[in-house]
Amino acid sequence: MAEAAPDRPEIVCLCGSTRFVEEMSAANRDLTFAGVVVLAPGVFWRVDDRDADRSITAEQKAALDELHLRKIDLADRVLVVNPGGYVGESTSREIAYARATGTPVAFTDPGPAG
């Protein structure tokens, strides 16, 4: 996707494991204070609900994954929150999707995945 138009703020989609809720929140805050529109996961089920495996259905997980791809479609770039270089399966799919659609991808940790 092209750079942000001069008449609107940059849009960044945060990707990464929902286990990194604090790191995601910090990135969201920092980008927001920098004047960026941030699109982020809306459900941090690994933190919000320790029994998430029983409370979120496979259909809900699939719908959330698809919704996050639509957020990537709206973004000027993707920022992967990956402390220690960690990138899980879902995040790997999101990175591949972003790259396939021409959306630039950056990482918070330049570890092995960056």
Side-chain angles (χ1 to χ4, degrees), residues 1-43:
M1 188 167 263
E3 284 186 36
D7 60 335
R8 71 161 175 82
E10 179 185 31
I11 301 170
V12 173
C13 182
L14 295 180
C15 294
S17 173
T18 57
R19 74 182 70 178
F20 300 129
V21 65
E22 290 181 22
E23 293 88 345
M24 286 259 197
S25 180
N28 192 333
R29 180 191 64 239
D30 293 346
L31 288 167
T32 299
F33 278 132
V36 172
V37 174
V38 179
L39 305 174
V43 177

Side-chain angles (χ1 to χ4, degrees), residues 57-103:
T57 66
E59 292 79 16
Q60 288 171 320
K61 171 76 167 89
L64 291 171
D65 288 347
E66 185 64 25
L67 182 62
H68 203 72
L69 296 182
R70 301 295 68 83
K71 291 177 183 181
I72 292 170
D73 289 339
L74 295 171
D76 297 311
R77 67 181 170 103
V78 165
L79 179 61
V80 179
V81 178
N82 65 320
Y86 177 82
V87 174
E89 184 179 326
S90 293
T91 303
S92 292
R93 278 194 307 270
E94 293 163 357
I95 293 166
Y97 179 83
R99 288 181 171 155
T101 60
T103 304

